[in-house]
Amino acid sequence: SQQGEEDPQALSIQEGENATMNCSYKTSINNLQWYRQNSGRGLVHLILIRSNEREKHSGRLRVTLDTSKKSSSLLITASRAADTASYFCATAFDSWGKLQFGAGTQVVVTP
Amino acid sequence: SQTIHQWPATLVQPVGSPLSLECTVEGTSNPNLYWYRQAAGRGLQLLFYSVGIGQISSEVPQNLSASRPQDRQFILSSKKLLLSDSGFYLCAWRASGGSETQYFGPGTRLLVL
């Protein structure tokens, strides 16, 4: 079963706008990771946030984690057409590194 | 630097035929290896993972099996494919020894007709 649930399922914005997507999960985690997938391609790792962290930044990406609410958010600032992709959150909950993925948010950025 | 390869990139197979998908990792030793399947428009589901040669753990009951004959080689197989085996298969690796990030290969798109 899928642990993470992303919201919204789809997001359409214009270049320069910010995109925010949320992820909720059900059980305790070691870390939460965000990935990007361009159509028909493999997944690209974006950012990892550990359970004892609340916020992380990487370039135009900002991730927050609220373990009390079992939720995370990914913010992409000043979006570009190249940010068009599906974004997935994945939770790691054991020492084997197994990941449970949500269904993803499909983001379309129009010029 | 490390790289991960998968082949073939695309495969069309008839129902009942066998399957062999291969994944290899370069530039690292004793990685943890993972097979995931992605149905159309969905997230990824973990199928198998391996922490060493010959060590395979299955996450879901299914028509597939996995093997790890060499340290950096991970194979996904089936003796007889079902229509429901269609999907996008992704291999991933993670460095052993506590690293948390998984890195994914380019995937194999399988269509069973």
Side-chain angles (χ1 to χ4, degrees), chain A residues 2 31 33 35 37 40-42 45 48 50 88 95-99 102, chain B residues 34 36 38 42-44 46 49 51 59 88 94 100-102 104-106 109:
Chain A
Q2 293 185 325
N31 65 71
Q33 303 179 36
Y35 288 84
Q37 183 180 36
R41 308 291 295 272
H45 185 264
L48 180 153
R50 295 184 175 84
F88 295 90
S95 60
W96 304 114
K98 296 179 287 184
L99 295 178
Chain B
Y34 308 85
Y36 293 85
Q38 183 179 30
R42 302 292 303 277
L44 278 67
L46 179 64
Y49 69 97
V51 299
E59 286 296 293
F88 192 44
R94 180 185 79 146
E100 296 160 297
T101 301
Q102 284 188 28
F104 284 79
R109 191 163 302 281

PDB file of all heavy atoms in Angstrom, chain A residues 2 31 33 35 37 40-42 45 48 50 88 95-99 102, chain B residues 34 36 38 42-44 46 49 51 59 88 94 100-102 104-106 109:
ATOM      1  N   GLN A   2       0.356   2.346  -0.507  1.00  0.00           N
ATOM      2  CA  GLN A   2       1.138   3.559  -0.592  1.00  0.00           C
ATOM      3  C   GLN A   2       0.992   4.325   0.699  1.00  0.00           C
ATOM      4  O   GLN A   2      -0.105   4.614   1.155  1.00  0.00           O
ATOM      5  CB  GLN A   2       0.682   4.387  -1.795  1.00  0.00           C
ATOM      6  CG  GLN A   2       1.010   3.687  -3.112  1.00  0.00           C
ATOM      7  CD  GLN A   2       0.668   4.534  -4.316  1.00  0.00           C
ATOM      8  OE1 GLN A   2      -0.299   5.260  -4.275  1.00  0.00           O
ATOM      9  NE2 GLN A   2       1.454   4.444  -5.367  1.00  0.00           N
ATOM     10  N   ASN A  31      13.097   9.256   7.335  1.00  0.00           N
ATOM     11  CA  ASN A  31      13.292  10.441   6.507  1.00  0.00           C
ATOM     12  C   ASN A  31      12.224  10.483   5.430  1.00  0.00           C
ATOM     13  O   ASN A  31      11.510   9.494   5.207  1.00  0.00           O
ATOM     14  CB  ASN A  31      14.693  10.480   5.886  1.00  0.00           C
ATOM     15  CG  ASN A  31      14.939   9.355   4.894  1.00  0.00           C
ATOM     16  OD1 ASN A  31      14.389   9.338   3.803  1.00  0.00           O
ATOM     17  ND2 ASN A  31      15.791   8.403   5.269  1.00  0.00           N
ATOM     18  N   GLN A  33      11.745  11.844   1.335  1.00  0.00           N
ATOM     19  CA  GLN A  33      12.505  12.282   0.170  1.00  0.00           C
ATOM     20  C   GLN A  33      11.537  12.741  -0.930  1.00  0.00           C
ATOM     21  O   GLN A  33      10.455  12.185  -1.078  1.00  0.00           O
ATOM     22  CB  GLN A  33      13.375  11.130  -0.349  1.00  0.00           C
ATOM     23  CG  GLN A  33      14.320  10.585   0.716  1.00  0.00           C
ATOM     24  CD  GLN A  33      15.181   9.438   0.253  1.00  0.00           C
ATOM     25  OE1 GLN A  33      15.621   9.401  -0.892  1.00  0.00           O
ATOM     26  NE2 GLN A  33      15.427   8.484   1.151  1.00  0.00           N
ATOM     27  N   TYR A  35      11.211  13.420  -5.077  1.00  0.00           N
ATOM     28  CA  TYR A  35      11.780  13.066  -6.371  1.00  0.00           C
ATOM     29  C   TYR A  35      11.004  13.758  -7.479  1.00  0.00           C
ATOM     30  O   TYR A  35       9.815  14.057  -7.327  1.00  0.00           O
ATOM     31  CB  TYR A  35      11.708  11.556  -6.616  1.00  0.00           C
ATOM     32  CG  TYR A  35      12.661  10.736  -5.781  1.00  0.00           C
ATOM     33  CD1 TYR A  35      12.325  10.350  -4.495  1.00  0.00           C
ATOM     34  CD2 TYR A  35      13.891  10.331  -6.297  1.00  0.00           C
ATOM     35  CE1 TYR A  35      13.198   9.583  -3.731  1.00  0.00           C
ATOM     36  CE2 TYR A  35      14.769   9.557  -5.552  1.00  0.00           C
ATOM     37  CZ  TYR A  35      14.409   9.199  -4.268  1.00  0.00           C
ATOM     38  OH  TYR A  35      15.276   8.435  -3.528  1.00  0.00           O
ATOM     39  N   GLN A  37      10.062  13.328 -11.697  1.00  0.00           N
ATOM     40  CA  GLN A  37      10.058  12.403 -12.821  1.00  0.00           C
ATOM     41  C   GLN A  37       9.531  13.127 -14.055  1.00  0.00           C
ATOM     42  O   GLN A  37       8.379  13.564 -14.075  1.00  0.00           O
ATOM     43  CB  GLN A  37       9.192  11.173 -12.536  1.00  0.00           C
ATOM     44  CG  GLN A  37       9.227  10.145 -13.658  1.00  0.00           C
ATOM     45  CD  GLN A  37       8.365   8.930 -13.365  1.00  0.00           C
ATOM     46  OE1 GLN A  37       7.298   9.035 -12.763  1.00  0.00           O
ATOM     47  NE2 GLN A  37       8.836   7.749 -13.763  1.00  0.00           N
ATOM     48  N   GLY A  40       7.961   9.594 -18.712  1.00  0.00           N
ATOM     49  CA  GLY A  40       8.590   8.391 -19.243  1.00  0.00           C
ATOM     50  C   GLY A  40      10.021   8.166 -18.848  1.00  0.00           C
ATOM     51  O   GLY A  40      10.695   7.315 -19.423  1.00  0.00           O
ATOM     52  N   ARG A  41      10.503   8.901 -17.856  1.00  0.00           N
ATOM     53  CA  ARG A  41      11.900   8.781 -17.471  1.00  0.00           C
ATOM     54  C   ARG A  41      12.025   8.245 -16.049  1.00  0.00           C
ATOM     55  O   ARG A  41      11.056   8.013 -15.346  1.00  0.00           O
ATOM     56  CB  ARG A  41      12.565  10.156 -17.554  1.00  0.00           C
ATOM     57  CG  ARG A  41      12.384  10.873 -18.880  1.00  0.00           C
ATOM     58  CD  ARG A  41      13.149  10.187 -20.000  1.00  0.00           C
ATOM     59  NE  ARG A  41      14.579  10.246 -19.786  1.00  0.00           N
ATOM     60  CZ  ARG A  41      15.351  11.253 -20.190  1.00  0.00           C
ATOM     61  NH1 ARG A  41      14.808  12.290 -20.801  1.00  0.00           N
ATOM     62  NH2 ARG A  41      16.647  11.228 -19.993  1.00  0.00           N
ATOM     63  N   GLY A  42      13.292   8.059 -15.636  1.00  0.00           N
ATOM     64  CA  GLY A  42      13.548   7.643 -14.268  1.00  0.00           C
ATOM     65  C   GLY A  42      13.352   8.786 -13.289  1.00  0.00           C
ATOM     66  O   GLY A  42      13.034   9.908 -13.676  1.00  0.00           O
ATOM     67  N   HIS A  45      16.464  12.437  -7.754  1.00  0.00           N
ATOM     68  CA  HIS A  45      16.376  12.809  -6.343  1.00  0.00           C
ATOM     69  C   HIS A  45      16.524  14.323  -6.194  1.00  0.00           C
ATOM     70  O   HIS A  45      17.442  14.930  -6.756  1.00  0.00           O
ATOM     71  CB  HIS A  45      17.461  12.098  -5.554  1.00  0.00           C
ATOM     72  CG  HIS A  45      17.377  12.327  -4.078  1.00  0.00           C
ATOM     73  ND1 HIS A  45      18.103  13.295  -3.430  1.00  0.00           N
ATOM     74  CD2 HIS A  45      16.624  11.721  -3.134  1.00  0.00           C
ATOM     75  CE1 HIS A  45      17.808  13.269  -2.147  1.00  0.00           C
ATOM     76  NE2 HIS A  45      16.920  12.318  -1.934  1.00  0.00           N
ATOM     77  N   LEU A  48      16.274  15.421   0.580  1.00  0.00           N
ATOM     78  CA  LEU A  48      15.950  14.503   1.677  1.00  0.00           C
ATOM     79  C   LEU A  48      15.872  15.295   2.953  1.00  0.00           C
ATOM     80  O   LEU A  48      16.746  16.140   3.220  1.00  0.00           O
ATOM     81  CB  LEU A  48      17.018  13.418   1.777  1.00  0.00           C
ATOM     82  CG  LEU A  48      16.886  12.342   2.866  1.00  0.00           C
ATOM     83  CD1 LEU A  48      17.590  11.065   2.406  1.00  0.00           C
ATOM     84  CD2 LEU A  48      17.466  12.793   4.202  1.00  0.00           C
ATOM     85  N   ARG A  50      15.320  14.675   7.131  1.00  0.00           N
ATOM     86  CA  ARG A  50      15.273  13.670   8.179  1.00  0.00           C
ATOM     87  C   ARG A  50      14.161  13.986   9.177  1.00  0.00           C
ATOM     88  O   ARG A  50      13.692  15.122   9.272  1.00  0.00           O
ATOM     89  CB  ARG A  50      16.621  13.568   8.879  1.00  0.00           C
ATOM     90  CG  ARG A  50      17.718  13.058   7.954  1.00  0.00           C
ATOM     91  CD  ARG A  50      19.041  12.852   8.649  1.00  0.00           C
ATOM     92  NE  ARG A  50      20.017  12.268   7.751  1.00  0.00           N
ATOM     93  CZ  ARG A  50      20.763  12.958   6.905  1.00  0.00           C
ATOM     94  NH1 ARG A  50      20.640  14.269   6.843  1.00  0.00           N
ATOM     95  NH2 ARG A  50      21.619  12.339   6.103  1.00  0.00           N
ATOM     96  N   PHE A  88       7.133  13.367  -6.621  1.00  0.00           N
ATOM     97  CA  PHE A  88       6.726  12.319  -5.697  1.00  0.00           C
ATOM     98  C   PHE A  88       7.410  12.509  -4.347  1.00  0.00           C
ATOM     99  O   PHE A  88       8.596  12.851  -4.290  1.00  0.00           O
ATOM    100  CB  PHE A  88       7.130  10.939  -6.231  1.00  0.00           C
ATOM    101  CG  PHE A  88       6.429  10.538  -7.498  1.00  0.00           C
ATOM    102  CD1 PHE A  88       6.967  10.840  -8.725  1.00  0.00           C
ATOM    103  CD2 PHE A  88       5.227   9.848  -7.434  1.00  0.00           C
ATOM    104  CE1 PHE A  88       6.320  10.469  -9.896  1.00  0.00           C
ATOM    105  CE2 PHE A  88       4.575   9.466  -8.595  1.00  0.00           C
ATOM    106  CZ  PHE A  88       5.122   9.776  -9.826  1.00  0.00           C
ATOM    107  N   SER A  95      15.660   0.469   8.479  1.00  0.00           N
ATOM    108  CA  SER A  95      17.092   0.553   8.215  1.00  0.00           C
ATOM    109  C   SER A  95      17.479   0.008   6.856  1.00  0.00           C
ATOM    110  O   SER A  95      18.596   0.231   6.395  1.00  0.00           O
ATOM    111  CB  SER A  95      17.862  -0.199   9.301  1.00  0.00           C
ATOM    112  OG  SER A  95      17.469  -1.569   9.308  1.00  0.00           O
ATOM    113  N   TRP A  96      16.554  -0.677   6.188  1.00  0.00           N
ATOM    114  CA  TRP A  96      16.865  -1.221   4.865  1.00  0.00           C
ATOM    115  C   TRP A  96      16.699  -0.175   3.764  1.00  0.00           C
ATOM    116  O   TRP A  96      17.005  -0.439   2.614  1.00  0.00           O
ATOM    117  CB  TRP A  96      15.976  -2.425   4.557  1.00  0.00           C
ATOM    118  CG  TRP A  96      16.067  -3.506   5.582  1.00  0.00           C
ATOM    119  CD1 TRP A  96      15.089  -3.924   6.413  1.00  0.00           C
ATOM    120  CD2 TRP A  96      17.232  -4.277   5.910  1.00  0.00           C
ATOM    121  NE1 TRP A  96      15.558  -4.924   7.235  1.00  0.00           N
ATOM    122  CE2 TRP A  96      16.862  -5.172   6.953  1.00  0.00           C
ATOM    123  CE3 TRP A  96      18.548  -4.313   5.427  1.00  0.00           C
ATOM    124  CZ2 TRP A  96      17.756  -6.073   7.506  1.00  0.00           C
ATOM    125  CZ3 TRP A  96      19.430  -5.218   5.979  1.00  0.00           C
ATOM    126  CH2 TRP A  96      19.043  -6.076   7.008  1.00  0.00           C
ATOM    127  N   GLY A  97      16.158   0.974   4.138  1.00  0.00           N
ATOM    128  CA  GLY A  97      16.039   2.041   3.151  1.00  0.00           C
ATOM    129  C   GLY A  97      14.873   1.890   2.210  1.00  0.00           C
ATOM    130  O   GLY A  97      14.783   2.591   1.204  1.00  0.00           O
ATOM    131  N   LYS A  98      13.961   0.979   2.526  1.00  0.00           N
ATOM    132  CA  LYS A  98      12.816   0.789   1.643  1.00  0.00           C
ATOM    133  C   LYS A  98      11.978   2.069   1.604  1.00  0.00           C
ATOM    134  O   LYS A  98      11.734   2.682   2.638  1.00  0.00           O
ATOM    135  CB  LYS A  98      11.965  -0.390   2.116  1.00  0.00           C
ATOM    136  CG  LYS A  98      12.707  -1.716   2.059  1.00  0.00           C
ATOM    137  CD  LYS A  98      11.841  -2.844   2.544  1.00  0.00           C
ATOM    138  CE  LYS A  98      11.669  -2.779   4.034  1.00  0.00           C
ATOM    139  NZ  LYS A  98      10.890  -3.929   4.564  1.00  0.00           N
ATOM    140  N   LEU A  99      11.538   2.442   0.409  1.00  0.00           N
ATOM    141  CA  LEU A  99      10.758   3.658   0.246  1.00  0.00           C
ATOM    142  C   LEU A  99       9.320   3.333  -0.111  1.00  0.00           C
ATOM    143  O   LEU A  99       9.053   2.427  -0.887  1.00  0.00           O
ATOM    144  CB  LEU A  99      11.346   4.533  -0.868  1.00  0.00           C
ATOM    145  CG  LEU A  99      12.739   5.104  -0.632  1.00  0.00           C
ATOM    146  CD1 LEU A  99      13.194   5.904  -1.842  1.00  0.00           C
ATOM    147  CD2 LEU A  99      12.750   5.978   0.611  1.00  0.00           C
ATOM    148  N   GLY A 102       4.065   8.119  -2.716  1.00  0.00           N
ATOM    149  CA  GLY A 102       2.725   8.578  -2.992  1.00  0.00           C
ATOM    150  C   GLY A 102       2.462   8.500  -4.486  1.00  0.00           C
ATOM    151  O   GLY A 102       3.323   8.108  -5.274  1.00  0.00           O
TER     152      GLY A 102
ATOM    153  N   TYR B  34      17.304  -2.200  -5.360  1.00  0.00           N
ATOM    154  CA  TYR B  34      15.848  -2.225  -5.246  1.00  0.00           C
ATOM    155  C   TYR B  34      15.219  -2.324  -6.633  1.00  0.00           C
ATOM    156  O   TYR B  34      15.697  -1.712  -7.586  1.00  0.00           O
ATOM    157  CB  TYR B  34      15.336  -0.939  -4.576  1.00  0.00           C
ATOM    158  CG  TYR B  34      16.006  -0.609  -3.265  1.00  0.00           C
ATOM    159  CD1 TYR B  34      17.211   0.089  -3.241  1.00  0.00           C
ATOM    160  CD2 TYR B  34      15.438  -0.991  -2.044  1.00  0.00           C
ATOM    161  CE1 TYR B  34      17.839   0.390  -2.034  1.00  0.00           C
ATOM    162  CE2 TYR B  34      16.058  -0.689  -0.838  1.00  0.00           C
ATOM    163  CZ  TYR B  34      17.262  -0.002  -0.848  1.00  0.00           C
ATOM    164  OH  TYR B  34      17.885   0.298   0.347  1.00  0.00           O
ATOM    165  N   TYR B  36      11.448  -1.513  -8.312  1.00  0.00           N
ATOM    166  CA  TYR B  36      10.138  -0.914  -8.145  1.00  0.00           C
ATOM    167  C   TYR B  36       9.351  -1.079  -9.442  1.00  0.00           C
ATOM    168  O   TYR B  36       9.911  -1.152 -10.526  1.00  0.00           O
ATOM    169  CB  TYR B  36      10.244   0.595  -7.856  1.00  0.00           C
ATOM    170  CG  TYR B  36      10.875   0.967  -6.537  1.00  0.00           C
ATOM    171  CD1 TYR B  36      12.259   1.074  -6.414  1.00  0.00           C
ATOM    172  CD2 TYR B  36      10.090   1.231  -5.416  1.00  0.00           C
ATOM    173  CE1 TYR B  36      12.834   1.437  -5.204  1.00  0.00           C
ATOM    174  CE2 TYR B  36      10.656   1.598  -4.210  1.00  0.00           C
ATOM    175  CZ  TYR B  36      12.033   1.695  -4.116  1.00  0.00           C
ATOM    176  OH  TYR B  36      12.604   2.060  -2.916  1.00  0.00           O
ATOM    177  N   GLN B  38       6.026   0.836 -11.493  1.00  0.00           N
ATOM    178  CA  GLN B  38       5.158   2.003 -11.538  1.00  0.00           C
ATOM    179  C   GLN B  38       4.058   1.733 -12.564  1.00  0.00           C
ATOM    180  O   GLN B  38       4.337   1.578 -13.749  1.00  0.00           O
ATOM    181  CB  GLN B  38       5.944   3.258 -11.924  1.00  0.00           C
ATOM    182  CG  GLN B  38       5.112   4.518 -11.907  1.00  0.00           C
ATOM    183  CD  GLN B  38       5.925   5.749 -12.270  1.00  0.00           C
ATOM    184  OE1 GLN B  38       6.879   5.685 -13.030  1.00  0.00           O
ATOM    185  NE2 GLN B  38       5.564   6.892 -11.702  1.00  0.00           N
ATOM    186  N   ARG B  42       0.682   6.412 -11.601  1.00  0.00           N
ATOM    187  CA  ARG B  42       0.738   6.089 -10.177  1.00  0.00           C
ATOM    188  C   ARG B  42       2.142   6.268  -9.624  1.00  0.00           C
ATOM    189  O   ARG B  42       3.105   6.494 -10.359  1.00  0.00           O
ATOM    190  CB  ARG B  42       0.291   4.637  -9.953  1.00  0.00           C
ATOM    191  CG  ARG B  42      -1.089   4.309 -10.450  1.00  0.00           C
ATOM    192  CD  ARG B  42      -2.173   5.010  -9.631  1.00  0.00           C
ATOM    193  NE  ARG B  42      -2.107   4.704  -8.215  1.00  0.00           N
ATOM    194  CZ  ARG B  42      -2.639   3.611  -7.675  1.00  0.00           C
ATOM    195  NH1 ARG B  42      -3.260   2.732  -8.416  1.00  0.00           N
ATOM    196  NH2 ARG B  42      -2.542   3.417  -6.370  1.00  0.00           N
ATOM    197  N   GLY B  43       2.251   6.125  -8.323  1.00  0.00           N
ATOM    198  CA  GLY B  43       3.554   6.134  -7.680  1.00  0.00           C
ATOM    199  C   GLY B  43       4.221   4.781  -7.818  1.00  0.00           C
ATOM    200  O   GLY B  43       3.731   3.875  -8.475  1.00  0.00           O
ATOM    201  N   LEU B  44       5.384   4.653  -7.186  1.00  0.00           N
ATOM    202  CA  LEU B  44       6.164   3.427  -7.306  1.00  0.00           C
ATOM    203  C   LEU B  44       5.833   2.465  -6.183  1.00  0.00           C
ATOM    204  O   LEU B  44       5.596   2.869  -5.041  1.00  0.00           O
ATOM    205  CB  LEU B  44       7.658   3.758  -7.232  1.00  0.00           C
ATOM    206  CG  LEU B  44       8.312   4.245  -8.511  1.00  0.00           C
ATOM    207  CD1 LEU B  44       7.783   5.597  -8.928  1.00  0.00           C
ATOM    208  CD2 LEU B  44       9.820   4.294  -8.333  1.00  0.00           C
ATOM    209  N   LEU B  46       7.429  -0.877  -4.257  1.00  0.00           N
ATOM    210  CA  LEU B  46       8.625  -1.684  -4.067  1.00  0.00           C
ATOM    211  C   LEU B  46       8.306  -3.158  -4.269  1.00  0.00           C
ATOM    212  O   LEU B  46       7.363  -3.679  -3.677  1.00  0.00           O
ATOM    213  CB  LEU B  46       9.201  -1.462  -2.669  1.00  0.00           C
ATOM    214  CG  LEU B  46      10.442  -2.265  -2.302  1.00  0.00           C
ATOM    215  CD1 LEU B  46      11.617  -1.877  -3.193  1.00  0.00           C
ATOM    216  CD2 LEU B  46      10.791  -2.056  -0.836  1.00  0.00           C
ATOM    217  N   TYR B  49      14.124  -6.071  -2.683  1.00  0.00           N
ATOM    218  CA  TYR B  49      15.345  -5.375  -2.342  1.00  0.00           C
ATOM    219  C   TYR B  49      16.398  -6.385  -1.945  1.00  0.00           C
ATOM    220  O   TYR B  49      16.089  -7.525  -1.582  1.00  0.00           O
ATOM    221  CB  TYR B  49      15.132  -4.322  -1.251  1.00  0.00           C
ATOM    222  CG  TYR B  49      14.828  -4.861   0.122  1.00  0.00           C
ATOM    223  CD1 TYR B  49      15.828  -4.995   1.080  1.00  0.00           C
ATOM    224  CD2 TYR B  49      13.527  -5.186   0.482  1.00  0.00           C
ATOM    225  CE1 TYR B  49      15.550  -5.460   2.352  1.00  0.00           C
ATOM    226  CE2 TYR B  49      13.240  -5.659   1.741  1.00  0.00           C
ATOM    227  CZ  TYR B  49      14.258  -5.793   2.673  1.00  0.00           C
ATOM    228  OH  TYR B  49      13.972  -6.258   3.925  1.00  0.00           O
ATOM    229  N   VAL B  51      20.446  -6.676  -0.059  1.00  0.00           N
ATOM    230  CA  VAL B  51      21.551  -6.050   0.662  1.00  0.00           C
ATOM    231  C   VAL B  51      22.881  -6.723   0.371  1.00  0.00           C
ATOM    232  O   VAL B  51      23.916  -6.291   0.874  1.00  0.00           O
ATOM    233  CB  VAL B  51      21.292  -6.008   2.183  1.00  0.00           C
ATOM    234  CG1 VAL B  51      20.034  -5.185   2.472  1.00  0.00           C
ATOM    235  CG2 VAL B  51      21.147  -7.414   2.737  1.00  0.00           C
ATOM    236  N   GLU B  59       8.712  -7.946  -1.345  1.00  0.00           N
ATOM    237  CA  GLU B  59       7.782  -7.099  -0.616  1.00  0.00           C
ATOM    238  C   GLU B  59       6.323  -7.435  -0.886  1.00  0.00           C
ATOM    239  O   GLU B  59       5.473  -7.204  -0.043  1.00  0.00           O
ATOM    240  CB  GLU B  59       8.022  -5.624  -0.968  1.00  0.00           C
ATOM    241  CG  GLU B  59       9.270  -5.058  -0.327  1.00  0.00           C
ATOM    242  CD  GLU B  59       9.159  -5.047   1.184  1.00  0.00           C
ATOM    243  OE1 GLU B  59       8.335  -4.291   1.722  1.00  0.00           O
ATOM    244  OE2 GLU B  59       9.913  -5.808   1.835  1.00  0.00           O
ATOM    245  N   PHE B  88       6.096   0.133 -15.730  1.00  0.00           N
ATOM    246  CA  PHE B  88       7.418   0.749 -15.838  1.00  0.00           C
ATOM    247  C   PHE B  88       8.230   0.253 -14.655  1.00  0.00           C
ATOM    248  O   PHE B  88       7.852   0.469 -13.498  1.00  0.00           O
ATOM    249  CB  PHE B  88       7.238   2.270 -15.811  1.00  0.00           C
ATOM    250  CG  PHE B  88       8.455   3.054 -16.194  1.00  0.00           C
ATOM    251  CD1 PHE B  88       9.227   2.693 -17.277  1.00  0.00           C
ATOM    252  CD2 PHE B  88       8.815   4.182 -15.468  1.00  0.00           C
ATOM    253  CE1 PHE B  88      10.350   3.432 -17.638  1.00  0.00           C
ATOM    254  CE2 PHE B  88       9.924   4.939 -15.822  1.00  0.00           C
ATOM    255  CZ  PHE B  88      10.696   4.563 -16.908  1.00  0.00           C
ATOM    256  N   ARG B  94      21.390   2.209  -3.354  1.00  0.00           N
ATOM    257  CA  ARG B  94      21.713   3.070  -2.211  1.00  0.00           C
ATOM    258  C   ARG B  94      23.029   2.575  -1.658  1.00  0.00           C
ATOM    259  O   ARG B  94      23.249   1.363  -1.573  1.00  0.00           O
ATOM    260  CB  ARG B  94      20.615   2.956  -1.149  1.00  0.00           C
ATOM    261  CG  ARG B  94      20.827   3.798   0.092  1.00  0.00           C
ATOM    262  CD  ARG B  94      19.767   3.544   1.151  1.00  0.00           C
ATOM    263  NE  ARG B  94      20.022   2.334   1.901  1.00  0.00           N
ATOM    264  CZ  ARG B  94      19.722   2.188   3.193  1.00  0.00           C
ATOM    265  NH1 ARG B  94      19.191   3.180   3.858  1.00  0.00           N
ATOM    266  NH2 ARG B  94      19.957   1.046   3.813  1.00  0.00           N
ATOM    267  N   GLU B 100      21.246   7.391   2.980  1.00  0.00           N
ATOM    268  CA  GLU B 100      19.787   7.289   2.911  1.00  0.00           C
ATOM    269  C   GLU B 100      19.209   7.532   1.522  1.00  0.00           C
ATOM    270  O   GLU B 100      18.070   7.159   1.248  1.00  0.00           O
ATOM    271  CB  GLU B 100      19.172   8.281   3.894  1.00  0.00           C
ATOM    272  CG  GLU B 100      19.521   7.961   5.355  1.00  0.00           C
ATOM    273  CD  GLU B 100      19.345   9.156   6.259  1.00  0.00           C
ATOM    274  OE1 GLU B 100      20.062  10.169   6.071  1.00  0.00           O
ATOM    275  OE2 GLU B 100      18.498   9.085   7.158  1.00  0.00           O
ATOM    276  N   THR B 101      19.947   8.174   0.651  1.00  0.00           N
ATOM    277  CA  THR B 101      19.410   8.551  -0.650  1.00  0.00           C
ATOM    278  C   THR B 101      19.449   7.381  -1.619  1.00  0.00           C
ATOM    279  O   THR B 101      20.450   6.682  -1.729  1.00  0.00           O
ATOM    280  CB  THR B 101      20.210   9.731  -1.237  1.00  0.00           C
ATOM    281  OG1 THR B 101      20.138  10.831  -0.339  1.00  0.00           O
ATOM    282  CG2 THR B 101      19.645  10.140  -2.582  1.00  0.00           C
ATOM    283  N   GLN B 102      18.339   7.182  -2.347  1.00  0.00           N
ATOM    284  CA  GLN B 102      18.304   6.179  -3.404  1.00  0.00           C
ATOM    285  C   GLN B 102      18.410   6.874  -4.746  1.00  0.00           C
ATOM    286  O   GLN B 102      17.818   7.927  -4.965  1.00  0.00           O
ATOM    287  CB  GLN B 102      17.002   5.377  -3.344  1.00  0.00           C
ATOM    288  CG  GLN B 102      16.979   4.359  -2.225  1.00  0.00           C
ATOM    289  CD  GLN B 102      15.791   3.441  -2.293  1.00  0.00           C
ATOM    290  OE1 GLN B 102      15.251   3.166  -3.367  1.00  0.00           O
ATOM    291  NE2 GLN B 102      15.374   2.959  -1.131  1.00  0.00           N
ATOM    292  N   PHE B 104      17.965   6.320  -8.917  1.00  0.00           N
ATOM    293  CA  PHE B 104      17.196   5.478  -9.811  1.00  0.00           C
ATOM    294  C   PHE B 104      17.811   5.384 -11.196  1.00  0.00           C
ATOM    295  O   PHE B 104      18.435   6.324 -11.691  1.00  0.00           O
ATOM    296  CB  PHE B 104      15.765   6.013  -9.927  1.00  0.00           C
ATOM    297  CG  PHE B 104      14.915   5.703  -8.736  1.00  0.00           C
ATOM    298  CD1 PHE B 104      15.023   6.449  -7.577  1.00  0.00           C
ATOM    299  CD2 PHE B 104      14.017   4.642  -8.769  1.00  0.00           C
ATOM    300  CE1 PHE B 104      14.251   6.150  -6.460  1.00  0.00           C
ATOM    301  CE2 PHE B 104      13.229   4.336  -7.664  1.00  0.00           C
ATOM    302  CZ  PHE B 104      13.354   5.089  -6.510  1.00  0.00           C
ATOM    303  N   GLY B 105      17.585   4.224 -11.821  1.00  0.00           N
ATOM    304  CA  GLY B 105      17.967   4.035 -13.208  1.00  0.00           C
ATOM    305  C   GLY B 105      16.925   4.624 -14.136  1.00  0.00           C
ATOM    306  O   GLY B 105      15.893   5.140 -13.691  1.00  0.00           O
ATOM    307  N   PRO B 106      17.159   4.519 -15.455  1.00  0.00           N
ATOM    308  CA  PRO B 106      16.245   5.114 -16.440  1.00  0.00           C
ATOM    309  C   PRO B 106      14.948   4.341 -16.633  1.00  0.00           C
ATOM    310  O   PRO B 106      14.013   4.860 -17.235  1.00  0.00           O
ATOM    311  CB  PRO B 106      17.075   5.128 -17.716  1.00  0.00           C
ATOM    312  CG  PRO B 106      18.033   3.999 -17.541  1.00  0.00           C
ATOM    313  CD  PRO B 106      18.357   3.967 -16.086  1.00  0.00           C
ATOM    314  N   ARG B 109      10.280   0.002 -19.784  1.00  0.00           N
ATOM    315  CA  ARG B 109       8.831  -0.014 -19.997  1.00  0.00           C
ATOM    316  C   ARG B 109       8.451  -1.355 -20.584  1.00  0.00           C
ATOM    317  O   ARG B 109       8.920  -1.716 -21.665  1.00  0.00           O
ATOM    318  CB  ARG B 109       8.400   1.118 -20.919  1.00  0.00           C
ATOM    319  CG  ARG B 109       6.891   1.301 -20.968  1.00  0.00           C
ATOM    320  CD  ARG B 109       6.494   2.648 -21.533  1.00  0.00           C
ATOM    321  NE  ARG B 109       7.050   3.758 -20.778  1.00  0.00           N
ATOM    322  CZ  ARG B 109       6.565   4.208 -19.626  1.00  0.00           C
ATOM    323  NH1 ARG B 109       5.516   3.621 -19.078  1.00  0.00           N
ATOM    324  NH2 ARG B 109       7.125   5.226 -19.015  1.00  0.00           N
TER     325      ARG B 109
END
